[in-house]
Amino acid sequence: MEPPPPAQERSGEITRGIYLLEKVMSVLPDLHLCYVQACQDLSQPENPFIARVLQEADKNEEISTKGITLKLAGNNHLVPVPRVTDDDLGVLVSVLGQAAFVTGLDLAYNLLTDAGAKTMATFLQSNQSLVHLRMTGNKIRNQGGMFFASMLKINSTLEKLDLGDCDVGLQCLVATAIALTQNKSLKAINLNRPLLSSQQEETTVHIARMLRSNSSLVELHLGKHEMKNFGVERLCDALYENSSLRYLDLSCNNIICDGVKFLGELLKRNQTLEILDLGANRIEDVGAIYLSEALATRNRTLKALSVVSNNITDKGLVALAQAMHSNMTLSHIYIWGNKLDRSTCVAISELIAVGRLQLECTDVAPYEVDGQVLLAELSHGLARHRYWSPRSAAVAPGAANASLEILAGSEYL
């Protein structure tokens, strides 16, 4: 039997143990207490919404092994919350500076302005733990967007940035595109609905130029950019050289069939794109047929397609349905908002009946009245929950956020 270690050695072990315990405690601070103290130090009243979220985070048992996301979105219909202001954010980032385990921050639909954008962007210039940031729906204008563009030239940790539904403008979009020619860490960005005039489709020229050289971006949202056929052609030209982008969102633009012809040709050669969102454009039957021809004959990588609200009739919709019989890769298709006449209802019903199309992978469900097959709408989509919060707790978000199943990077966009 070995003799016990001398008292000096035992004392050293105890000292080391205390040091390690203090180190763990320093890595895992009490977020709520830190927040209360920071509010006092900065003479800022506590925001009860932030306080509650931080208290819940402190109780998370996985906090020491996995990164956590602080969900502070201001559009919660189930539990009305006091929205986060610029002053609130100043206190919050002082707390986050001590919390390396916080890897995600959702600040969507709050009361943040350019001042809040500056606070957040300045914090991210030195922060090395935050991986995803969602700023959707705040009143961040061009100046605030420029702070984020400058940050992207410095930060090498952030992977997902959501500036959708903010009020950024042309200058910000150009600066962001330039920054992404240098940034090698960002994987997903949402730039939906900037404030652009009808003469500013040139932004797509800069974004296309970026896509030629960027090899890290996987997901790109360019909805409501007033994009027309010219912009689509520029993007397609760039995507022939890009081998990383997997999710392209061109919803709510002014794209017609001529623009979709470029996309159809791209799909015949592209081996990367998995999700294409063309919802709320004007591609009509001709555009749908361009897509169906590419999908039926050449493309075997696209997994999800949305052509919601595109003024497509039976001719185009049946062509897309028939393409799914020969293309076994395309698993998700969204068609509601078009002219769903008899032939379309039968074609989609047959796809579902033989198991080629699952109900959770589309936004329509067949039903029968007097022997006639009709289609009803389902609350499903690629990212249906992106811009709204459910008013009922009984919601199954999986099918309404199908992009999460297909592409994990879209979780916070």
Side-chain angles (χ1 to χ4, degrees):
M1 185 174 180
E2 296 183 3
Q8 184 176 4
E9 186 175 336
R10 290 198 304 273
S11 176
E13 290 175 353
I14 293 172
T15 301
R16 284 193 296 273
I18 293 173
Y19 167 76
L20 290 173
L21 179 61
E22 289 177 344
K23 186 176 181 180
V24 171
M25 293 297 288
S26 67
V27 173
L28 300 175
D30 187 312
L31 290 175
H32 180 245
L33 287 180
C34 288
Y35 176 66
V36 171
Q37 185 61 54
C39 286
Q40 294 174 357
D41 294 343
L42 298 172
S43 300
Q44 174 69 21
E46 294 180 32
N47 182 313
F49 178 35
I50 295 177
R52 186 178 77 246
V53 170
L54 295 182
Q55 285 177 319
E56 292 172 355
D58 286 329
K59 298 175 184 177
N60 190 330
E61 295 180 354
E62 297 182 338
I63 197 171
S64 61
T65 57
K66 297 181 179 179
I68 64 169
T69 296
L70 298 181
K71 297 183 178 180
L72 292 162
N75 63 333
N76 191 331
H77 296 299
L78 300 178
V79 183
V81 296
R83 296 188 177 186
V84 179
T85 66
D86 293 336
D87 290 336
D88 292 329
L89 185 58
V91 180
L92 182 60
V93 296
S94 70
V95 175
L96 296 180
Q98 308 171 54
F101 50 84
V102 176
T103 57
L105 185 60
D106 184 351
L107 292 166
Y109 298 100
N110 280 294
L111 302 175
L112 302 174
T113 67
D114 288 349
K118 182 178 182 180
T119 297
M120 197 71 236
T122 302
F123 170 71
L124 286 171
Q125 287 183 358
S126 57
N127 178 269
Q128 296 183 350
S129 57
L130 208 65
V131 176
H132 51 260
L133 173 64
R134 188 168 184 243
M135 303 292 287
T136 316
N138 285 286
K139 291 298 180 182
I140 298 172
R141 300 184 183 277
N142 212 54
Q143 183 181 20
M146 291 296 290
F147 292 128
F148 283 111
S150 298
M151 175 273 296
L152 289 173
K153 295 180 180 180
I154 301 171
N155 181 284
S156 60
T157 308
L158 195 68
E159 295 182 2
K160 305 161 194 171
L161 175 62
D162 188 343
L163 295 176
D165 261 17
C166 294
D167 293 334
V168 300
L170 173 64
Q171 186 182 12
C172 167
L173 294 177
V174 172
T176 300
I178 293 172
L180 290 177
T181 61
Q182 305 171 29
N183 184 291
K184 303 302 179 185
S185 61
L186 201 72
K187 296 180 180 179
I189 189 166
N190 182 355
L191 296 171
N192 284 351
R193 210 226 70 186
L195 293 183
L196 298 174
S197 73
S198 58
Q199 304 301 317
Q200 291 180 345
E201 197 183 4
E202 66 199 66
T203 57
T204 54
V205 174
H206 296 276
I207 292 172
R209 188 176 298 145
M210 174 272 294
L211 288 172
R212 292 179 187 274
S213 59
N214 183 289
S215 59
S216 61
L217 203 63
V218 173
E219 179 174 350
L220 176 61
H221 295 267
L222 298 174
K224 301 181 183 178
H225 270 241
E226 297 291 335
M227 191 182 304
K228 301 179 180 66
N229 300 333
F230 170 82
V232 177
E233 185 178 11
R234 301 285 83 72
L235 289 176
C236 288
D237 287 344
L239 288 174
Y240 284 113
E241 302 177 30
N242 181 287
S243 59
S244 64
L245 197 71
R246 294 165 59 194
Y247 186 170
L248 178 60
D249 175 7
L250 299 179
S251 60
C252 304
N253 281 292
N254 293 317
I255 301 170
I256 61 173
C257 60
D258 291 342
V260 179
K261 186 175 183 179
F262 299 118
L263 285 167
E265 291 302 314
L266 174 68
L267 290 176
K268 292 178 182 178
R269 292 167 52 184
N270 182 277
Q271 301 296 316
T272 309
L273 277 178
E274 296 182 11
I275 302 176
L276 177 60
D277 190 346
L278 291 172
N281 282 287
R282 294 181 292 138
I283 74 170
E284 301 182 322
D285 287 337
V286 175
I289 291 172
Y290 283 141
L291 294 174
S292 66
E293 289 174 350
L295 293 169
T297 60
R298 304 281 290 277
N299 184 278
R300 292 298 181 267
T301 55
L302 199 72
K303 297 179 180 179
L305 172 67
S306 175
V307 290
V308 169
S309 300
N310 265 279
N311 199 32
I312 308 173
T313 69
D314 272 357
K315 186 177 180 181
L317 294 171
V318 170
L320 288 171
Q322 290 175 343
M324 293 191 71
H325 285 291
S326 57
N327 182 326
M328 304 309 291
T329 306
L330 187 67
S331 57
H332 296 65
I333 188 165
Y334 303 95
I335 63 171
W336 188 259
N338 293 296
K339 298 178 180 179
L340 309 181
D341 293 328
R342 183 176 180 181
S343 298
T344 299
C345 295
V346 171
I348 297 297
S349 178
E350 289 177 352
L351 286 173
I352 294 172
V354 300
R356 175 62 189 87
L357 180 62
Q358 304 298 317
L359 282 177
E360 61 268 23
C361 299
T362 186
D363 57 350
V364 292
Y367 67 99
E368 195 169 312
V369 176
D370 296 333
Q372 183 175 349
V373 177
L374 302 173
L375 294 176
E377 182 184 16
L378 296 176
S379 294
H380 296 173
L382 290 175
R384 192 68 182 268
H385 286 258
R386 187 189 301 149
Y387 295 118
W388 62 281
S389 179
R391 296 180 183 274
S392 166
V395 172
N401 291 278
S403 55
L404 306 189
E405 178 183 331
I406 302 167
L407 191 65
S410 63
E411 183 174 359
Y412 299 100
L413 291 182

